[in-house]
Amino acid sequence: PRWRKHLALCFAFNFSMAFGVGLVLAFVLSLLTAFGLTPTLPDLELEIPASMLCRSFLTPVLTCTLLFGSNIRKVLRIGNPIVFLDKVCIHQTDAEAKSQGIGKLGAFLDCSDRMLILYSDVYLRKLWTIYEVANFLIFRTIFAMDVVPVQLPTVIFAALPCGYLYTTTLMVWRYLGYANPSGVMQYVIICSFSTFYMLFLRRWAR
C-alpha cells in the first residue's frame, strides 16, 4: 500500500531530525525538572520525580517531526535533499519518453550520492528494480545504499502511540493518587507487544 511507502519515506528522511529534536527536548525538560521549574509526579519505582511535560510532549513532538520533518525544514528554509524518484521522474505512459528516461537512468544514478530502497517482498522479483540496483553498484559501494523495509516504519509508528497511551495512563493513574499497577500487569502489556513485534519480524523474514 502507498501509505506504507509514505511512512517509510518519512522515516528515512526525517529520522535524524526527529532524533535530534527529541534529544534536545528531553535534555531541556530534564534540566527544568531538575531545577524544579516543571510539574512533576513521584515515580514510585525509582523514587525520583518524573517530569509531566517530558512524558506528555516528547512522544507527540517525536511523531510529528517524523511525519512532517521535511515540511518543517521547508518552512524554516533548511535545505532538503534533492531526490530522483524513478516512478515520478521517468514517464510512465508515453513509450518514447519512457524509453529516453530509461536510457538516461545510468546518468541519474551516477549523479546520485546515495540510493534509498523501500524494500518489500516483491522488490527483488522485478527486473526494473534489479536493474537499478546493479547500475548503482557500478558507480557506488554498497555502503552508499540505504535499505528500509516498508513494514518496519509501520511498526514504529504504531508503537509510538501505544507507548504514549501506556505512559500517559500511568501518569494519570499516579496523579489521581493511586499506586502503580502491579508488576504482573505491566509485564503482560510489555510481553504482549514484544510477542506481536517478534511475530511481525518472523513473518517479514519469510
Side-chain angles (χ1 to χ4, degrees):
R2 290 186 177 181
W3 63 269
R4 283 189 175 180
K5 292 185 177 181
H6 178 72
L7 289 181
L9 287 172
C10 290
F11 179 81
F13 286 105
N14 300 330
F15 177 78
S16 298
M17 180 180 179
F19 181 79
V21 170
L23 195 63
V24 171
L25 181 61
F27 179 74
V28 171
L29 292 178
S30 297
L31 281 181
L32 294 176
T33 302
F35 287 103
L37 300 177
T38 60
T40 60
L41 285 172
D43 194 313
L44 301 179
E45 296 174 354
L46 301 177
E47 298 182 353
I48 58 175
S51 173
M52 294 177 63
L53 292 181
C54 190
R55 297 192 176 188
S56 300
F57 291 106
L58 188 57
T59 300
V61 169
L62 183 64
T63 304
C64 289
T65 309
L66 277 173
L67 289 173
F68 307 110
S70 298
N71 303 84
I72 296 172
R73 286 194 295 268
K74 184 177 181 180
V75 171
L76 297 177
R77 298 182 182 275
I78 301 175
N80 280 312
I82 300 176
V83 178
F84 167 74
L85 185 60
D86 52 6
K87 192 171 183 179
V88 176
C89 297
I90 296 179
H91 210 291
Q92 300 294 306
T93 55
D94 189 319
E96 183 178 352
K98 185 176 182 179
S99 177
Q100 292 176 352
I102 295 175
K104 298 295 183 180
L105 185 59
F108 283 116
L109 293 172
D110 184 30
C111 295
S112 301
D113 295 323
R114 303 193 66 83
M115 181 177 186
L116 173 64
I117 296 176
L118 302 183
Y119 186 81
S120 64
D121 294 338
V122 298
Y123 187 84
L124 294 178
R125 299 178 186 176
K126 296 181 178 180
L127 182 61
W128 174 266
T129 51
I130 296 176
Y131 175 72
E132 286 182 329
V133 171
N135 270 269
F136 183 78
L137 291 177
I138 293 175
F139 304 109
R140 301 287 184 271
T141 66
I142 194 172
F143 299 104
M145 189 177 294
D146 301 315
V147 180
V148 178
V150 292
Q151 296 92 340
L152 181 59
T154 305
V155 174
I156 293 175
F157 279 104
L160 285 173
C162 291
Y164 180 70
L165 179 63
Y166 174 70
T167 55
T168 304
T169 302
L170 284 182
M171 185 173 64
V172 173
W173 188 268
R174 294 166 186 166
Y175 180 77
L176 296 176
Y178 296 106
N180 279 354
S182 65
V184 175
M185 182 182 299
Q186 297 187 48
Y187 283 129
V188 167
I189 296 174
I190 295 173
C191 290
S192 298
F193 178 77
S194 299
T195 302
F196 166 77
Y197 186 65
M198 285 188 290
L199 288 175
F200 161 77
L201 291 178
R202 183 171 180 267
R203 179 179 178 273
W204 177 75
R206 290 179 176 179

